[in-house]
Amino acid sequence: MRRLLLFLVGVMMGSCVGAQTAPQAFREWKAGTRVSLKAVQEYGLERCFGSSEIPESVYRRMRGKSFKEGTAVKLADLRYVRVLHYDGGGHILLGELVCHRLIATDLVEIFRTLFDARYPIERMVLIDDFNADDELSMRANNTSAFCYRAVAGSGKLSAHARGMAVDINPLYNPYYKDRKDGTREVRPSTAARYCDRRKPFPYKLTRGDLCHRLFLQHGFQWGGSWRSCKDFQHFEK
Ligand SMILES: [Zn+2]
């Protein structure tokens, strides 16, 4: 009986803790957490969209991964962006990005409009959660922006290294380049089937869709309209 009582008290306390989990997830902004619309309304929709200087806790996640010594951009020029997004199943998730301060306001506005329209974005957590490994982040269909890296296969710094580029739903919107020997390089390597843009599939970004229009309105270029290669996930300023 005593055990049963303790068990019941435990269950009740557990449910109290459960009720507190949502605001805590908002306060700590645990990106990737699913939240209900009611929880968003209680916390305040407007508070869920914004940017700030890089908080210490975020810097600790980035250090030695996406942010290395000698990066092309100063930490003070980067911003931590918080947004909400819907996934393809209609769930609301907490999202986060690191980008250059020059595009932080653009990204907050763009992702707010995408949220209001329920434009599906599967995942948006820092690339540091994938050890700053772009291939792994892309395979997980993770939307991300800043990462200090060279353009693959060259010594040139990518626009991501300055925090001036964003990759949207990258698994379904891959990068590819046809080599002279007739072979095709695809990134992520698991996305070959999504290079055929005539087929319908979820999370496909197309010319003229809301995401494409918003980024262009904000002065970004789209990698999907490049000639020498295609980078359907990529917008840069
Ligand atoms: Zn990119």
Side-chain angles (χ1 to χ4, degrees), residues 149 160 165-167 231 233-234:
R149 63 167 186 262
H160 291 283
V166 190
D167 292 336
D231 198 352
Q233 61 194 258
H234 183 95

Side-chain angles (χ1 to χ4, degrees), residues 167-236:
D167 292 336
I168 307 283
N169 291 324
L171 174 64
Y172 299 93
N173 299 291
Y175 163 96
Y176 76 81
K177 185 178 176 76
D178 290 324
R179 299 191 191 92
K180 288 194 183 107
D181 64 6
T183 60
R184 175 174 279 185
E185 179 194 355
V186 182
R187 279 187 267 134
S189 61
T190 50
R193 81 191 92 157
Y194 303 119
C195 292
D196 182 351
R197 309 304 284 178
R198 292 166 304 183
K199 288 182 189 156
F201 46 81
Y203 298 110
K204 185 169 77 166
L205 208 164
T206 55
R207 182 185 299 279
D209 79 3
L210 181 62
C211 185
H212 176 256
R213 289 203 312 273
L214 287 170
F215 274 99
L216 262 62
Q217 280 163 15
H218 283 261
F220 286 77
Q221 289 180 7
W222 184 41
S225 53
W226 292 346
R227 295 251 173 109
S228 61
C229 62
K230 294 289 178 192
D231 198 352
F232 295 105
Q233 61 194 258
H234 183 95
F235 293 95
E236 73 173 68

